């Protein structure tokens, strides 16, 4: 005799397992595609990784916060990692491009460029993120717990994306610019010595 389990709970479990598997695959694929796009934009490997690194961190932070808040993966929250990448990549590109523009004006002072980026583009992103967080927190008033969880997790995603974008990414960009400046000055000194 062959015994097969059936019913709504078994179907739901199968759907959630399929969603989790596809979530991991789509997240990895999204990160790879994002890296390729950033490589086309930056034409350098290290800046592309620097812009992409906070995205991966935000994804891990969101998954960890779900565990801390006791939120379960469901049909809606399973989309959060892809949403994190989508939100985060925009924020990162805005900060990175503004930093590059400011650095062209004063290439010897990356920390001043970082201050300018945070005081201009950073403020604009904070206001944008604030409206997005408020919009998703409205879902907490929904009578459906699944929708409430989705609203909370998405708001957390936006907050983490903003924190990493305005605090962590500019520091990485400034350190990278300083290393590149040091390398260029060392090359200039070696050329002078050889002459």
């Amino acid at each position: 005799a062959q015994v097969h389990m059936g019913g709504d709970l078994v179907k739901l479990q199968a759907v959630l397992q399929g969603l989790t598997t596809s979530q991991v695959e789509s997240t990895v694929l999204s990160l790879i595609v994002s890296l390729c796009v950033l490589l086309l934009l930056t034409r350098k490997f290290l800046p592309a990784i620097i812009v992409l690194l906070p995205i991966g961190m935000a994804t891990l932070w969101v998954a960890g916060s779900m565990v801390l808040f006791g939120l379960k993966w469901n049909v809606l929250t399973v989309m959060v990692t892809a949403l994190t990448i989508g939100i985060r990549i925009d924020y990162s590109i805005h900060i990175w491009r503004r930093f590059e523009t400011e650095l062209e004006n004063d290439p010897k002072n990356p920390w001043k460029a970082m201050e300018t980026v945070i005081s201009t583009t950073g403020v604009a992103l904070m206001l944008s993120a604030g409206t997005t967080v408020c919009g998703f927190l409205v879902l907490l008033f929904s009578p459906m717990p699944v929708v409430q969880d989705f609203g909370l997790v998405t708001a957390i995603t936006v907050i983490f994306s903003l924190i990493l974008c305005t605090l962590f990414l500019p520091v990485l960009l400034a350190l990278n610019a300083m290393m590149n400046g040091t390398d260029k000055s060392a090359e200039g000194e070696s050329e002078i010595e050889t002459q």
Side-chain angles (χ1 to χ4, degrees), residues 22-92:
S22 66
Q23 173 205 17
V24 171
E25 292 171 357
S26 64
T27 301
V28 170
L29 184 63
S30 297
L31 286 171
I32 291 170
V33 170
S34 298
L35 179 63
C36 292
V37 169
L38 288 169
L39 283 171
L40 288 173
L41 284 172
T42 62
R43 294 184 177 83
K44 295 178 184 172
F45 187 72
L46 187 59
I49 292 294
I50 287 173
V51 172
L52 197 61
L53 180 66
I55 297 171
M57 288 180 62
T59 305
L60 292 174
W61 282 17
V62 169
S65 67
M66 286 182 68
V67 172
L68 287 176
F69 287 119
L71 300 172
K72 305 266 188 222
W73 293 106
N74 57 43
V75 178
L76 290 178
T77 57
V78 83
M79 297 184 295
V80 164
T81 54
L83 235 128
T84 303
I85 294 170
I87 292 169
R88 193 64 199 111
I89 197 78
D90 285 351
Y91 288 3
S92 292

Coordinates of all heavy atoms in Angstrom, one line a residue, residues 22-92:
S22 N 12.7 29.1 -4.7 CA 12.8 30.1 -5.7 C 13.3 31.5 -5.2 O 13.9 32.2 -6.0 CB 11.4 30.3 -6.4 OG 10.5 30.8 -5.5
Q23 N 13.0 31.8 -3.9 CA 13.5 33.0 -3.3 C 15.0 33.0 -3.3 O 15.6 34.0 -3.7 CB 12.9 33.2 -1.9 CG 13.5 34.4 -1.2 CD 13.5 34.2 0.3 OE1 13.3 33.1 0.8 NE2 13.7 35.3 1.0
V24 N 15.6 32.0 -2.9 CA 17.1 31.9 -2.8 C 17.7 32.0 -4.2 O 18.6 32.8 -4.5 CB 17.5 30.6 -2.1 CG1 19.0 30.4 -2.2 CG2 17.1 30.6 -0.7
E25 N 17.1 31.3 -5.2 CA 17.6 31.3 -6.5 C 17.4 32.7 -7.2 O 18.4 33.2 -7.8 CB 16.8 30.3 -7.4 CG 17.2 28.8 -7.0 CD 16.3 27.8 -7.7 OE1 15.4 28.3 -8.5 OE2 16.5 26.6 -7.5
S26 N 16.3 33.3 -6.9 CA 16.0 34.6 -7.5 C 16.9 35.7 -6.9 O 17.4 36.6 -7.6 CB 14.6 35.0 -7.5 OG 14.2 35.2 -6.1
T27 N 17.2 35.6 -5.6 CA 18.0 36.5 -4.9 C 19.5 36.4 -5.4 O 20.1 37.5 -5.7 CB 18.0 36.3 -3.4 OG1 16.7 36.4 -2.9 CG2 18.9 37.3 -2.6
V28 N 20.0 35.2 -5.6 CA 21.3 35.1 -6.1 C 21.4 35.6 -7.6 O 22.3 36.3 -7.9 CB 21.8 33.6 -6.0 CG1 23.0 33.3 -6.8 CG2 21.9 33.1 -4.6
L29 N 20.4 35.3 -8.3 CA 20.3 35.7 -9.7 C 20.3 37.3 -9.8 O 21.0 37.9 -10.6 CB 19.1 35.1 -10.5 CG 19.0 35.4 -11.9 CD1 20.2 34.9 -12.7 CD2 17.7 34.8 -12.5
S30 N 19.5 37.9 -8.9 CA 19.4 39.3 -8.9 C 20.7 40.0 -8.5 O 21.1 41.0 -9.1 CB 18.3 39.8 -7.9 OG 17.0 39.3 -8.2
L31 N 21.4 39.4 -7.6 CA 22.7 39.9 -7.2 C 23.7 39.8 -8.3 O 24.5 40.7 -8.6 CB 23.3 39.2 -6.0 CG 22.6 39.5 -4.6 CD1 23.1 38.6 -3.5 CD2 22.9 41.0 -4.2
I32 N 23.7 38.7 -9.1 CA 24.6 38.5 -10.2 C 24.3 39.5 -11.3 O 25.2 40.2 -11.9 CB 24.5 37.1 -10.8 CG1 25.1 36.1 -9.7 CG2 25.2 36.9 -12.1 CD1 24.9 34.6 -10.0
V33 N 23.0 39.7 -11.6 CA 22.6 40.7 -12.7 C 23.0 42.1 -12.2 O 23.5 42.9 -13.0 CB 21.1 40.6 -13.0 CG1 20.6 41.7 -13.8 CG2 20.8 39.2 -13.6
S34 N 22.7 42.4 -10.9 CA 23.1 43.7 -10.4 C 24.6 44.0 -10.5 O 25.0 45.1 -10.9 CB 22.7 43.9 -8.9 OG 21.3 43.7 -8.8
L35 N 25.4 42.9 -10.2 CA 26.8 43.1 -10.4 C 27.2 43.3 -11.8 O 28.1 44.2 -12.1 CB 27.5 41.8 -9.8 CG 29.1 41.8 -9.9 CD1 29.7 42.9 -9.1 CD2 29.6 40.4 -9.5
C36 N 26.6 42.6 -12.7 CA 26.9 42.8 -14.2 C 26.6 44.3 -14.6 O 27.3 44.9 -15.3 CB 26.2 41.8 -15.0 SG 26.7 40.1 -14.8
V37 N 25.4 44.8 -14.1 CA 25.0 46.1 -14.5 C 26.0 47.1 -13.9 O 26.4 48.1 -14.5 CB 23.6 46.4 -14.0 CG1 23.2 47.9 -14.1 CG2 22.6 45.6 -14.8
L38 N 26.4 46.9 -12.6 CA 27.3 47.8 -12.0 C 28.7 47.8 -12.6 O 29.4 48.8 -12.7 CB 27.4 47.5 -10.5 CG 26.2 47.9 -9.7 CD1 26.3 47.3 -8.3 CD2 26.1 49.4 -9.6
L39 N 29.1 46.6 -13.1 CA 30.4 46.5 -13.8 C 30.3 47.3 -15.1 O 31.3 47.9 -15.5 CB 30.7 45.0 -14.1 CG 31.3 44.2 -13.0 CD1 31.3 42.7 -13.3 CD2 32.6 44.7 -12.5
L40 N 29.2 47.3 -15.8 CA 29.0 48.1 -17.0 C 29.0 49.6 -16.7 O 29.6 50.4 -17.4 CB 27.7 47.8 -17.7 CG 27.6 46.4 -18.4 CD1 26.2 46.1 -18.9 CD2 28.6 46.4 -19.6
L41 N 28.4 50.0 -15.5 CA 28.4 51.4 -15.1 C 29.8 51.9 -14.7 O 30.2 52.9 -15.1 CB 27.4 51.6 -14.0 CG 25.9 51.6 -14.4 CD1 25.1 51.7 -13.1 CD2 25.6 52.8 -15.2
T42 N 30.4 51.1 -13.8 CA 31.7 51.5 -13.2 C 32.9 51.2 -14.0 O 33.9 51.9 -13.9 CB 31.9 50.9 -11.8 OG1 31.9 49.5 -11.9 CG2 30.8 51.3 -10.9
R43 N 32.8 50.1 -14.8 CA 33.9 49.6 -15.6 C 35.1 49.2 -14.7 O 36.2 49.1 -15.2 CB 34.4 50.6 -16.7 CG 33.3 50.9 -17.7 CD 33.8 51.8 -18.8 NE 32.9 52.0 -19.8 CZ 31.9 52.8 -19.8 NH1 31.7 53.6 -18.7 NH2 31.0 53.0 -20.8
K44 N 34.9 49.0 -13.5 CA 35.9 48.5 -12.5 C 35.2 47.5 -11.6 O 34.1 47.7 -11.2 CB 36.5 49.7 -11.7 CG 37.3 50.6 -12.6 CD 37.8 51.8 -11.7 CE 38.5 52.8 -12.6 NZ 38.8 54.0 -11.8
F45 N 36.0 46.5 -11.2 CA 35.4 45.5 -10.3 C 35.2 45.9 -8.9 O 34.2 45.7 -8.3 CB 36.3 44.2 -10.4 CG 35.7 43.0 -9.7 CD1 34.7 42.4 -10.2 CD2 36.2 42.6 -8.4 CE1 34.1 41.3 -9.6 CE2 35.7 41.6 -7.8 CZ 34.6 40.9 -8.4
L46 N 36.2 46.6 -8.3 CA 36.1 47.0 -6.9 C 35.0 47.9 -6.6 O 34.2 47.7 -5.6 CB 37.5 47.5 -6.4 CG 37.6 47.8 -4.9 CD1 37.3 46.5 -4.1 CD2 38.9 48.4 -4.5
P47 N 34.8 49.0 -7.4 CA 33.7 49.9 -7.1 C 32.3 49.2 -7.2 O 31.4 49.5 -6.5 CB 33.8 51.0 -8.1 CG 35.3 51.0 -8.5 CD 35.7 49.6 -8.4
A48 N 32.2 48.3 -8.2 CA 31.0 47.5 -8.3 C 30.7 46.7 -7.1 O 29.6 46.6 -6.6 CB 31.0 46.6 -9.6
I49 N 31.7 46.0 -6.6 CA 31.6 45.2 -5.3 C 31.2 46.1 -4.2 O 30.4 45.8 -3.3 CB 32.8 44.4 -5.1 CG1 33.0 43.3 -6.1 CG2 32.8 43.8 -3.7 CD1 32.0 42.3 -6.1
I50 N 31.9 47.3 -4.1 CA 31.6 48.2 -3.0 C 30.1 48.7 -3.0 O 29.5 48.8 -2.0 CB 32.6 49.4 -3.0 CG1 34.0 49.0 -2.6 CG2 32.1 50.6 -2.2 CD1 35.0 50.1 -2.8
V51 N 29.6 49.0 -4.2 CA 28.2 49.4 -4.3 C 27.3 48.3 -4.0 O 26.2 48.5 -3.4 CB 28.0 50.0 -5.7 CG1 26.5 50.3 -5.9 CG2 28.8 51.3 -5.9
L52 N 27.7 47.1 -4.3 CA 26.8 45.9 -4.1 C 26.9 45.3 -2.7 O 25.9 44.7 -2.2 CB 27.2 44.8 -5.1 CG 26.2 43.7 -5.4 CD1 24.9 44.3 -5.9 CD2 26.7 42.7 -6.4
L53 N 28.0 45.5 -2.0 CA 28.2 44.9 -0.7 C 27.1 45.3 0.3 O 26.6 44.4 1.0 CB 29.6 45.3 -0.2 CG 29.9 44.7 1.2 CD1 30.0 43.2 1.2 CD2 31.2 45.3 1.7
P54 N 26.7 46.6 0.5 CA 25.6 46.9 1.4 C 24.3 46.2 1.1 O 23.5 46.0 1.9 CB 25.5 48.4 1.3 CG 26.9 48.8 0.8 CD 27.3 47.8 -0.1
I55 N 24.1 45.9 -0.2 CA 22.8 45.3 -0.6 C 22.8 43.9 0.0 O 21.7 43.5 0.6 CB 22.7 45.2 -2.1 CG1 22.7 46.6 -2.7 CG2 21.5 44.4 -2.6 CD1 22.8 46.6 -4.2
G56 N 23.9 43.1 -0.1 CA 23.9 41.8 0.5 C 23.8 41.9 2.1 O 23.1 41.1 2.7
M57 N 24.4 42.9 2.7 CA 24.3 43.1 4.1 C 22.8 43.4 4.5 O 22.3 42.9 5.5 CB 25.2 44.2 4.6 CG 26.7 43.8 4.5 SD 27.7 45.2 5.1 CE 27.2 45.4 6.8
A58 N 22.2 44.3 3.7 CA 20.8 44.6 4.1 C 19.9 43.4 4.0 O 19.0 43.2 4.8 CB 20.3 45.7 3.1
T59 N 20.1 42.5 3.0 CA 19.3 41.3 2.9 C 19.5 40.4 4.1 O 18.5 39.9 4.6 CB 19.8 40.5 1.6 OG1 19.6 41.4 0.5 CG2 18.9 39.3 1.4
L60 N 20.8 40.3 4.6 CA 21.0 39.5 5.8 C 20.4 40.1 7.0 O 19.8 39.4 7.9 CB 22.5 39.3 6.0 CG 23.2 38.4 4.9 CD1 24.7 38.4 5.2 CD2 22.7 37.0 4.9
W61 N 20.5 41.4 7.1 CA 19.9 42.1 8.3 C 18.4 41.9 8.3 O 17.8 41.7 9.4 CB 20.2 43.6 8.2 CG 21.6 44.0 8.6 CD1 22.7 43.2 8.8 CD2 22.0 45.3 9.0 NE1 23.8 43.9 9.1 CE2 23.4 45.2 9.3 CE3 21.4 46.5 9.0 CZ2 24.2 46.3 9.6 CZ3 22.2 47.6 9.4 CH2 23.5 47.5 9.7
V62 N 17.7 42.0 7.2 CA 16.3 41.8 7.1 C 15.9 40.4 7.5 O 15.0 40.2 8.4 CB 15.7 42.1 5.7 CG1 14.3 41.6 5.5 CG2 15.9 43.6 5.4
A63 N 16.6 39.4 7.0 CA 16.4 38.0 7.5 C 16.6 37.8 9.0 O 15.8 37.2 9.6 CB 17.2 37.0 6.7
G64 N 17.6 38.4 9.5 CA 17.9 38.4 10.9 C 16.8 39.1 11.7 O 16.4 38.6 12.8
S65 N 16.4 40.2 11.3 CA 15.3 40.9 12.0 C 14.0 40.2 12.0 O 13.2 40.2 13.0 CB 15.1 42.3 11.4 OG 14.6 42.3 10.1
M66 N 13.7 39.4 10.9 CA 12.5 38.6 10.9 C 12.6 37.5 12.0 O 11.6 37.2 12.7 CB 12.4 38.0 9.5 CG 11.9 38.9 8.5 SD 11.6 38.1 6.9 CE 10.2 37.1 7.3
V67 N 13.8 37.0 12.2 CA 13.9 36.0 13.3 C 13.7 36.7 14.7 O 13.0 36.2 15.5 CB 15.3 35.3 13.2 CG1 15.6 34.4 14.4 CG2 15.4 34.5 11.9
L68 N 14.3 37.9 14.8 CA 14.2 38.6 16.1 C 12.7 39.0 16.4 O 12.3 38.9 17.6 CB 15.0 39.8 16.1 CG 16.6 39.6 16.2 CD1 17.3 41.0 16.1 CD2 16.9 39.0 17.5
F69 N 12.0 39.4 15.4 CA 10.6 39.8 15.6 C 9.7 38.6 15.6 O 8.5 38.7 15.8 CB 10.2 40.8 14.6 CG 10.7 42.1 14.8 CD1 11.6 42.7 13.8 CD2 10.5 42.9 16.0 CE1 12.1 44.0 14.0 CE2 11.0 44.1 16.2 CZ 11.8 44.7 15.2
G70 N 10.2 37.4 15.3 CA 9.3 36.2 15.3 C 8.4 36.1 14.1 O 7.4 35.5 14.1
L71 N 8.8 36.8 13.0 CA 8.0 36.8 11.7 C 8.3 35.6 10.9 O 9.5 35.2 10.7 CB 8.3 38.1 10.9 CG 8.0 39.4 11.7 CD1 8.4 40.6 10.8 CD2 6.5 39.5 11.9
K72 N 7.3 35.0 10.4 CA 7.4 33.7 9.6 C 7.5 34.1 8.1 O 7.0 35.1 7.7 CB 6.3 32.8 9.8 CG 6.0 32.5 11.3 CD 6.7 31.2 11.6 CE 6.2 30.8 13.0 NZ 7.3 30.3 13.8
W73 N 8.2 33.2 7.3 CA 8.2 33.4 5.9 C 6.8 33.0 5.4 O 6.3 31.9 5.8 CB 9.2 32.5 5.2 CG 10.6 32.9 5.5 CD1 11.5 32.3 6.4 CD2 11.3 34.0 5.0 NE1 12.7 33.0 6.4 CE2 12.6 34.0 5.6 CE3 11.0 35.0 4.1 CZ2 13.6 35.0 5.3 CZ3 11.9 36.0 3.8 CH2 13.2 36.0 4.4
N74 N 6.2 33.8 4.6 CA 4.9 33.5 4.0 C 4.9 33.9 2.5 O 5.9 34.4 2.0 CB 3.7 34.1 4.8 CG 3.8 35.6 4.9 OD1 4.1 36.3 4.0 ND2 3.5 36.1 6.1
V75 N 3.7 33.8 1.9 CA 3.7 34.1 0.5 C 4.1 35.6 0.2 O 4.7 35.8 -0.9 CB 2.2 33.9 0.0 CG1 2.1 34.2 -1.5 CG2 1.8 32.4 0.2
L76 N 3.8 36.5 1.1 CA 4.2 37.9 0.9 C 5.6 38.2 1.3 O 6.4 38.9 0.6 CB 3.2 38.8 1.6 CG 1.8 38.9 1.0 CD1 0.9 39.8 1.8 CD2 1.8 39.4 -0.5
T77 N 6.0 37.8 2.5 CA 7.3 38.1 3.1 C 8.4 37.5 2.3 O 9.6 37.9 2.4 CB 7.4 37.8 4.6 OG1 7.1 36.4 4.8 CG2 6.5 38.6 5.4
V78 N 8.1 36.4 1.6 CA 9.2 35.7 0.8 C 9.7 36.6 -0.3 O 10.8 36.4 -0.8 CB 8.6 34.4 0.3 CG1 7.9 34.6 -1.0 CG2 9.7 33.4 0.1
M79 N 9.0 37.7 -0.7 CA 9.4 38.6 -1.7 C 10.4 39.7 -1.2 O 10.9 40.5 -1.9 CB 8.2 39.3 -2.3 CG 7.3 38.3 -3.1 SD 6.0 39.2 -3.9 CE 5.1 40.0 -2.5
V80 N 10.6 39.7 0.1 CA 11.3 40.8 0.7 C 12.8 40.9 0.3 O 13.3 42.0 0.1 CB 11.3 40.7 2.3 CG1 12.3 41.5 2.9 CG2 9.9 41.1 2.7
T81 N 13.5 39.7 0.1 CA 14.9 39.8 -0.4 C 15.0 40.4 -1.7 O 15.9 41.3 -2.0 CB 15.5 38.4 -0.4 OG1 14.7 37.5 -1.2 CG2 15.6 37.9 1.0
A82 N 14.1 40.1 -2.6 CA 14.1 40.7 -4.0 C 13.8 42.2 -3.9 O 14.4 43.1 -4.5 CB 13.1 40.0 -4.9
L83 N 12.9 42.6 -3.0 CA 12.5 44.0 -2.7 C 13.7 44.7 -2.2 O 13.9 45.9 -2.5 CB 11.3 44.0 -1.7 CG 10.1 44.8 -2.2 CD1 8.9 43.9 -2.1 CD2 10.0 46.0 -1.4
T84 N 14.4 44.1 -1.3 CA 15.6 44.7 -0.7 C 16.6 45.1 -1.7 O 17.2 46.2 -1.7 CB 16.3 43.8 0.4 OG1 15.3 43.4 1.4 CG2 17.4 44.4 1.1
I85 N 16.8 44.2 -2.6 CA 17.8 44.4 -3.7 C 17.3 45.6 -4.6 O 18.1 46.5 -5.0 CB 18.1 43.1 -4.5 CG1 18.8 42.1 -3.7 CG2 18.9 43.4 -5.8 CD1 18.8 40.7 -4.3
G86 N 16.0 45.6 -4.9 CA 15.5 46.6 -5.8 C 15.5 48.0 -5.1 O 15.9 49.0 -5.8
I87 N 15.2 48.1 -3.8 CA 15.3 49.4 -3.1 C 16.8 49.8 -3.0 O 17.1 50.9 -3.2 CB 14.6 49.3 -1.8 CG1 13.1 49.1 -2.0 CG2 14.9 50.5 -0.9 CD1 12.4 48.7 -0.7
R88 N 17.5 48.9 -2.5 CA 18.9 49.2 -2.2 C 19.8 49.6 -3.4 O 20.6 50.5 -3.2 CB 19.5 47.9 -1.5 CG 20.7 47.9 -0.8 CD 20.7 48.8 0.4 NE 22.1 49.0 0.6 CZ 22.7 50.1 0.5 NH1 22.0 51.2 0.2 NH2 24.0 50.2 0.7
I89 N 19.6 49.0 -4.5 CA 20.4 49.3 -5.7 C 20.2 50.8 -6.1 O 21.1 51.5 -6.5 CB 20.2 48.3 -6.8 CG1 21.3 48.4 -7.8 CG2 18.9 48.5 -7.5 CD1 22.6 47.7 -7.4
D90 N 19.0 51.2 -6.0 CA 18.7 52.6 -6.4 C 19.4 53.6 -5.4 O 20.1 54.5 -5.8 CB 17.2 52.9 -6.3 CG 16.4 52.4 -7.5 OD1 17.1 51.9 -8.4 OD2 15.2 52.4 -7.5
Y91 N 19.2 53.3 -4.1 CA 19.9 54.2 -3.1 C 21.4 54.2 -3.3 O 22.1 55.2 -3.3 CB 19.6 53.7 -1.7 CG 18.2 53.9 -1.2 CD1 17.2 54.5 -2.0 CD2 17.8 53.6 0.1 CE1 15.9 54.7 -1.6 CE2 16.5 53.8 0.5 CZ 15.6 54.3 -0.3 OH 14.3 54.6 0.1
S92 N 22.0 53.0 -3.5 CA 23.4 52.9 -3.7 C 23.9 53.7 -4.9 O 24.9 54.4 -4.9 CB 23.8 51.4 -3.8 OG 23.6 50.7 -2.7

